[in-house]
Amino acid sequence: MIDMARFKPKTVYVIYIAATPEKIWAALTTPEFTTAYFLGAAIEIEPKEGGAFVMRKPDGTIDVSGEVVEWSPPRRLAVTWGVRWLPQMRDVPDCLVSYDIEQAGDSVRLTMTEAHQWDVPDALLSGGRAGWPAILSSLKSLLETGKPLAIKMQPPREMLDALAALKR
Amino acid sequence: MDAVFKALADASRRELLDRLRAENGQTLGELCERLAKTGIGMSRQAVSKHLAILEEANLVATVKRGREKLHYLNPVPIHEIAERWIGKFERGRLQALVDMKKALEQSDE
């Protein structure tokens, strides 16, 4: 059992999407959608608490992996999130990523929260802070217009520097 | 989008966004305390009103944690504005210009 109280929210992003909660849930949890807006990564997720969760890169390697902490369609999904593709991230504690989906008038509010269980330096958060707004905007565009946005992403320099400093 | 521009058209509200960018997840009390420490006089009531306008414009997201309400900078609407007017081919060149400006201004200090 994962102690949620240990995790403190560090990054919270909110986006309004003209779609149904069910459609947004499907976009978050099925590979047909995630490959379109999440930098090409395909989600594999066991639909239950304690289930395995993986984001797989187009070349088949693991991008992110973790465990399902909450599976409440179509309202709330929470997973532990460990970045595996960057070797420098191997010793960094997993964070908790949760999505909350709420009806807000004619559209739906999607809130992404990245919470950490240690005093993570800001520079390490810069990767997520660069990536999430683009990923969420792309998800919105995909659901509203049928077309995702083009995203080209590299880990920010400051994040790589901070990871190198952590090793020492 | 009107709400975003209206919210940004105020120096005090931009200051609050800067403070959250520097330290995300502050309570109203922490924001007021730190503003006062750096000599910026803004009443608790004014800060609270500005935060409500920023939240309404979706530039600030809040999380309830126990009895505290934490405030987070939400840059998603600004990202959407950038997507609308900045093409993907311009992005690299603009970043190069911003990097150059930063480097030149830092070397002056």
Side-chain angles (χ1 to χ4, degrees):
Chain A
M1 193 62 209
I2 286 146
D3 175 17
M4 307 271 272
R6 271 209 328 259
F7 289 83
K8 190 178 181 221
K10 288 287 183 179
T11 303
V12 184
Y13 291 150
V14 178
I15 192 161
Y16 288 83
I17 302 176
T20 61
E22 289 75 16
K23 192 92 197 221
I24 294 173
W25 182 269
L28 293 173
T29 55
T30 51
E32 293 72 22
F33 280 103
T34 65
T35 47
Y37 71 85
F38 206 109
L39 308 162
I43 193 170
E44 295 163 18
I45 189 162
E46 283 184 88
K48 59 174 189 198
E49 270 171 40
F53 154 71
V54 168
M55 296 294 285
R56 200 175 287 282
K57 280 173 174 284
D59 66 6
T61 56
I62 291 180
D63 183 352
V64 172
S65 70
E67 184 187 315
V68 178
V69 178
E70 190 172 341
W71 179 271
S72 313
R75 298 288 160 218
R76 184 173 158 81
L77 173 67
V79 291
T80 58
W81 187 280
V83 176
R84 310 293 177 218
W85 72 275
L86 262 177
Q88 304 96 300
M89 287 284 282
R90 207 173 292 143
D91 301 323
V92 174
D94 289 358
C95 66
L96 184 75
V97 168
S98 50
Y99 300 98
D100 287 284
I101 302 166
E102 300 152 279
Q103 194 75 43
D106 289 341
S107 58
V108 171
R109 177 168 52 229
L110 172 65
T111 305
M112 189 293 303
T113 307
E114 191 186 299
H116 291 260
Q117 52 181 323
W118 63 301
D119 198 14
V120 53
D122 259 10
L124 271 196
L125 296 169
S126 63
R129 287 182 178 163
W132 282 115
I135 288 165
L136 294 173
S137 296
S138 186
L139 164 62
K140 175 186 167 83
S141 174
L142 177 66
L143 290 180
E144 291 182 353
T145 70
K147 285 195 201 107
L149 302 171
I151 311 175
K152 235 182 121 189
M153 276 275 310
Q154 298 280 329
R157 181 82 251 158
E158 57 175 321
M159 177 177 151
L160 296 176
D161 290 348
L163 283 168
L166 219 58
K167 285 246 143 157
R168 266 180 241 134
Chain B
M1 197 166 277
D2 285 354
V4 175
F5 283 107
K6 227 173 136 185
L8 289 172
D10 181 283
S12 300
R13 289 197 283 272
R14 293 194 299 272
E15 177 71 34
L16 289 174
L17 293 179
D18 285 338
R19 297 298 173 120
L20 291 178
R21 185 176 163 76
E23 197 184 341
N24 224 355
Q26 295 185 63
T27 61
L28 172 62
E30 285 169 341
L31 273 166
C32 290
E33 195 181 305
R34 278 157 216 183
L35 283 166
K37 241 182 224 166
T38 46
I40 294 179
M42 230 192 282
S43 71
R44 193 182 169 91
Q45 207 179 3
V47 174
S48 168
K49 204 185 81 191
H50 285 314
L51 285 175
I53 292 168
L54 289 167
E55 196 176 352
E56 185 65 27
N58 197 27
L59 289 166
V60 163
T62 58
V63 171
K64 286 220 173 72
R65 204 163 186 265
R67 287 167 54 198
E68 291 185 325
K69 187 176 179 188
L70 309 178
H71 299 80
Y72 293 83
L73 172 63
N74 182 35
V76 172
I78 297 171
H79 183 86
E80 289 174 318
I81 289 168
E83 280 297 330
R84 177 160 164 180
W85 283 296
I86 302 174
K88 61 178 162 176
F89 300 111
E90 289 161 305
R91 199 167 303 251
R93 271 172 274 165
L94 289 171
Q95 190 58 49
L97 285 172
V98 171
D99 289 347
M100 185 171 81
K101 175 183 157 73
K102 264 193 206 157
L104 291 172
E105 289 178 352
Q106 267 166 11
S107 65
D108 276 355
E109 277 165 14

